[in-house]
Amino acid sequence: MDEIGGGEAGGECRFGGRRDGELMASASTYLTRRRFGQLAFGSAASLGLPLREALANVETGVPLHGLSAFGELKYAEGFDHFDYANPDAPEGGTFAFSPPNWAFNQSALTFDTLNTFVLKGNAPPRMTFLYEGLMTSSLDEPDAIYGALAETVTVSEDRLQFDFMLRPEAKFSTGDAVTPEDVVFSYETLAEFGHPSIQIALRDFKSAEVVDERTAQITFDANQSYQDAIGVLSLPILPRTFFEGRSLDEPTDEIIPGSGRYTVGRYEFGRFIEYEKREDYWGEEQGFAKGLDHFQTLRIDFFRERQTALEAFKKGLVKFREEFTSKSWATEYNFPAIQSGEVVKREFPAELFPRFQCWALNQRRERFADVRVRRAINLCFDFEWTNANMFYGLYDHSQSCFENSEFMAEGAPSEAELALLEPLRGEIPEEVFGEVWTQPVSDGSGRDRDRLREALDLLQEAGYERQGGRVRDKNGQPFQLEYLVDDPGFARVYGKFVQTCQAIGIDASVRVVDAAQYTDRTNRFDFDMIGHAAGISPTPTTNGLRSLFGSETADRQGSSNYPGMASAAVDRLIENVGEVNGREDLVTAMRALDRVLRARLDWIPNIHSNAHRAAYWDIFGFDTPKPDYGWPVERLWWIDETKS
């Protein structure tokens, strides 16, 4: 899921974080380190294949150095380093930055725990840098993973069992070797006590066992697709002995030792944290790690207000900042250091994976359960006016949960898509079988009367009446809509939307709360409406989809199913996704799902941008082009002494 989710959000981007200004970053999202819990998908139903027959073209019964969803790897056994890594770059220095994404229970506004693997508390972003997994992803392939702690992996014929031979040199920061017992402990403990995003990803985990002194075996039950299985083989491995007399499921001020490149240095809860590179890191010359992580120190300062964080950047206290507020990007990056060239303002291309940024109306509250109500509220958002007057023309109106990807449906369904959709006729909106839903376009006036009239008509069809200037239900109660946010910038940007809702009689408002309250309320689904953004994997998994769209997560606190959507038909489409045996079938399955999601409008697509807008003090070196499937600047850049 993104360290939101990282690069982009890597791990399950649900990674539920927050971004400045217009964007909400998900913890779900890509983890910058290893993209654990990628939101992914697939489907063999179009081929009429049973679950176990839709298998990737992967060798079984022999030790392998890497795996991918469809059996294709860019890097051969014994590769020296990833192409985007630079072994010749200088080492050292401090990288002080504002993290653009985070994962699990992490927050960019404050922190009160060093345990990032549970729902409770707020951990600092990049705590995952302390830990290695059995395998790790590359950033220039859509779905490949390579051995990290594991030297090799052997896959059973049914693709449900994985035997990992650990590297003998792999050690925790305590100096203790990483053992098969640690692997067994980690998977069993995280499956029972881990953050909900981890538990969802491990829903089909069956067992972990010690095979011998160097080998651990992980087994999944028959419901687990191969794509889903490889999506959880990058889980962090924790030291079993550390937890003797301790429990994983509570916040802590203790550092849980890891086997990763960094450890925690200086920190002060709620103010700053520094991660220090380990001198005794065991993986320095391994292909998966060589040429990455050039900075000696990674420093994150915590600011509760966006403007305060920007001022810290202007003063040079922060050296890198990705900007998510269009007004700031358009009007505030004109300070003296920009004009002198000391600070560079630049756009970098976005990654090649779907952009998910949507509104969630909480259907656990009955008034939002009718799709006509959701469509009416969407009509109150005049994107054309907002983009011109508030976003400085920097955004596009999202049509889909899978924006900017091949998974977006177009026009009428293809024959292959109909093969998936026809068995669900009567359970899905009839319009799915026609032209795909697209966003309504306004006249740009900010008060398009035709749209407002249509919104009122939809509310009336849903059983509401406009009386005395207020939209009321059959009992005469006003229709209320509270937009919950954790940054005052949202109140400014979406103020016109709220005013338009009020103009047609909806009792609409924006509630700004602090980071801790926002996390608590969203975890408990205590809201009317929120925004959520995540980076979704280019090869999605069913477990990632379930977290956003599945019935089983509708009432699971801590999941990313914020709308509370529950549809047996959508569940079946998600199951299809885990059964594909090729890219073409994956695209077909995803487009079929996209059609249904857009017609239902449980998630209301909002806005997106296809670029990173970043500013940085001109003291860094980096290689171009950037990787296509992640952009963890803190891992890829270095201090250029000729500039600094």
Side-chain angles (χ1 to χ4, degrees):
M1 305 167 83
D2 174 21
E3 230 172 81
I4 262 76
E8 209 109 44
E12 258 187 288
C13 240
R14 311 165 10 354
F15 293 159
R18 152 210 172 274
R19 285 183 176 173
D20 295 335
E22 292 94 39
L23 290 178
M24 297 282 291
S26 147
S28 244
T29 297
Y30 272 63
L31 293 175
T32 52
R33 182 83 177 168
R34 51 188 56 80
R35 288 192 268 144
F36 159 69
Q38 298 170 332
L39 298 182
F41 325 77
S43 168
S46 60
L47 305 177
L49 297 178
L51 178 63
R52 285 294 109 215
E53 291 182 22
L55 299 174
N57 181 26
V58 60
E59 286 188 90
T60 60
V62 296
L64 303 171
H65 73 290
L67 302 170
S68 76
F70 302 119
E72 299 176 356
L73 295 173
K74 175 180 179 179
Y75 296 97
E77 184 176 358
F79 69 95
D80 187 66
H81 62 274
F82 293 129
D83 288 349
Y84 52 83
N86 189 335
D88 299 321
E91 304 289 314
T94 297
F95 186 62
F97 70 115
S98 296
N101 41 56
W102 45 94
F104 305 138
N105 65 347
Q106 297 168 14
S107 170
L109 299 181
T110 188
F111 74 105
D112 52 24
T113 180
L114 298 178
N115 182 357
T116 191
F117 302 115
V118 295
L119 181 61
K120 298 177 183 178
N122 296 282
R126 305 306 182 260
M127 278 301 294
T128 47
F129 279 24
L130 272 65
Y131 309 95
E132 296 289 1
L134 293 168
M135 307 190 79
T136 187
S137 61
S138 66
L139 300 178
D140 53 357
E141 298 173 90
D143 54 38
I145 56 175
Y146 295 90
L149 292 173
E151 186 174 301
T152 63
V153 56
T154 303
V155 185
S156 65
E157 186 175 353
D158 62 4
R159 277 71 162 179
L160 293 174
Q161 195 171 86
F162 299 80
D163 286 8
F164 296 94
M165 179 176 288
L166 301 181
R167 299 185 192 271
E169 62 270 32
K171 289 182 172 57
F172 292 108
S173 58
T174 58
D176 295 330
V178 179
T179 68
E181 287 81 4
D182 296 313
V183 175
V184 171
F185 167 81
S186 298
Y187 274 81
E188 290 180 344
T189 304
L190 291 171
E192 183 175 1
F193 300 111
H195 188 279
S197 64
I198 300 176
Q199 293 180 331
I200 292 166
L202 289 174
R203 66 190 292 273
D204 296 317
F205 163 72
K206 183 177 180 181
S207 65
E209 298 179 9
V210 175
V211 176
D212 58 41
E213 62 181 11
R214 283 187 59 193
T215 308
Q217 183 179 89
I218 295 176
T219 304
F220 299 92
D221 68 31
N223 294 319
Q224 183 87 330
S225 71
Y226 172 73
Q227 290 94 323
D228 277 352
I230 67 172
V232 296
L233 299 183
S234 299
L235 267 174
I237 300 301
L238 308 176
R240 177 181 56 87
T241 56
F242 175 82
F243 288 96
E244 293 175 354
R246 296 181 176 91
S247 175
L248 176 72
D249 61 347
E250 292 294 335
T252 180
D253 58 1
E254 289 187 278
I255 300 169
I256 301 172
S259 58
R261 174 113 55 180
Y262 284 91
T263 188
V264 174
R266 299 191 308 139
Y267 68 92
E268 186 175 334
F269 281 123
R271 293 193 59 196
F272 76 92
I273 189 168
E274 292 181 347
Y275 299 102
E276 296 291 339
K277 190 188 294 188
R278 289 173 49 194
E279 294 182 2
D280 60 346
Y281 175 58
W282 60 273
E284 194 72 38
E285 294 302 315
Q286 298 292 339
F288 75 90
K290 187 176 180 180
L292 298 170
D293 303 312
H294 306 290
F295 299 108
Q296 173 58 37
T297 305
L298 304 177
R299 181 182 172 99
I300 300 171
D301 287 278
F302 293 79
F303 305 97
R304 292 183 179 272
E305 297 292 336
R306 187 203 64 81
Q307 194 62 39
T308 305
L310 178 56
E311 293 304 319
F313 173 74
K314 291 179 180 180
K315 294 177 181 178
L317 301 177
V318 175
K319 300 297 186 183
F320 174 89
R321 175 180 173 81
E322 191 170 350
E323 184 57 70
F324 298 101
T325 301
S326 53
K327 178 183 179 183
S328 294
W329 186 252
T331 66
E332 296 189 67
Y333 284 80
N334 55 3
F335 49 94
I338 289 273
Q339 297 167 354
S340 68
E342 293 176 274
V343 170
V344 177
K345 176 186 177 186
R346 176 174 173 176
E347 290 192 359
F348 295 84
E351 286 68 60
L352 302 181
F353 52 73
R355 327 298 294 181
F356 177 101
Q357 182 162 332
C358 303
W359 277 334
L361 289 166
N362 189 356
Q363 295 176 40
R364 302 168 191 86
R365 299 178 176 180
E366 186 178 354
R367 60 187 179 278
F368 303 119
D370 193 313
V371 66
R372 292 168 294 190
V373 169
R374 300 193 293 273
R375 291 190 174 189
I377 291 171
N378 184 48
L379 283 166
C380 292
F381 176 53
D382 190 330
F383 169 79
E384 286 69 30
W385 183 92
T386 305
N387 196 38
N389 292 275
M390 306 300 292
F391 294 158
Y392 296 82
L394 294 174
Y395 286 94
D396 295 314
H397 203 181
S398 297
Q399 308 291 332
S400 164
C401 294
F402 315 124
E403 195 66 45
N404 192 43
S405 78
E406 59 188 339
F407 303 141
M408 287 181 61
E410 296 179 353
S414 67
E415 289 186 11
E417 291 170 45
L418 285 172
L420 298 174
L421 295 170
E422 281 292 353
L424 302 175
R425 192 181 283 270
E427 300 179 59
I428 56 179
E430 189 62 26
E431 66 191 87
V432 167
F433 299 95
E435 295 289 312
V436 69
W437 177 88
T438 57
Q439 289 280 11
V441 178
S442 79
D443 61 12
S445 67
R447 198 177 179 85
D448 188 322
R449 293 184 178 275
D450 290 339
R451 285 178 56 148
L452 299 185
R453 189 177 300 110
E454 182 181 354
L456 280 171
D457 288 344
L458 286 167
L459 289 170
Q460 186 172 6
E461 290 175 18
Y464 296 89
E465 296 290 341
R466 195 166 189 263
Q467 302 173 4
R470 293 283 191 93
V471 173
R472 301 178 185 274
D473 64 17
K474 60 184 178 182
N475 297 317
Q477 297 300 311
F479 188 103
Q480 295 182 325
L481 174 65
E482 180 184 87
Y483 184 15
L484 184 70
V485 302
D486 63 351
D487 189 305
F490 289 104
R492 176 188 65 84
V493 169
Y494 290 108
K496 182 67 172 178
F497 160 73
V498 172
Q499 291 173 9
T500 302
C501 289
Q502 294 169 343
I504 67 170
I506 293 174
D507 185 8
S509 61
V510 178
R511 170 69 64 87
V512 183
V513 297
D514 62 32
Q517 187 177 355
Y518 184 85
T519 299
D520 176 64
R521 288 187 61 176
T522 54
N523 281 339
R524 293 186 294 107
F525 306 126
D526 180 19
F527 58 85
D528 288 346
M529 173 177 166
I530 62 168
H532 185 66
I536 295 179
S537 167
T539 306
T541 67
T542 57
N543 283 334
L545 288 174
R546 290 186 188 106
S547 184
L548 285 169
F549 312 116
S551 299
E552 68 184 77
T553 60
D555 295 314
R556 184 165 190 162
Q557 293 191 2
S559 82
S560 293
N561 188 349
Y562 294 119
M565 64 179 293
S567 162
V570 170
D571 293 340
R572 274 183 290 222
L573 289 170
I574 291 174
E575 291 304 319
N576 288 342
V577 167
E579 302 166 18
V580 296
N581 65 349
R583 193 82 196 174
E584 184 177 351
D585 299 324
L586 173 62
V587 171
T588 296
M590 288 300 300
R591 289 181 179 176
L593 176 63
D594 183 46
R595 290 181 186 279
V596 175
L597 293 176
R598 287 160 74 171
R600 288 177 53 92
L601 219 61
D602 300 275
W603 287 98
I604 301 175
N606 190 226
I607 62 174
H608 70 279
S609 172
N610 292 324
H612 294 281
R613 300 186 181 99
Y616 54 92
W617 287 77
D618 194 17
I619 60 173
F620 301 112
F622 53 86
D623 292 327
T624 55
K626 58 179 280 298
D628 287 335
Y629 298 103
W631 193 48
V633 171
E634 62 272 33
R635 302 202 68 203
L636 300 174
W637 289 19
W638 59 85
I639 298 289
D640 185 336
E641 294 183 0
T642 64
K643 296 179 179 180
S644 61

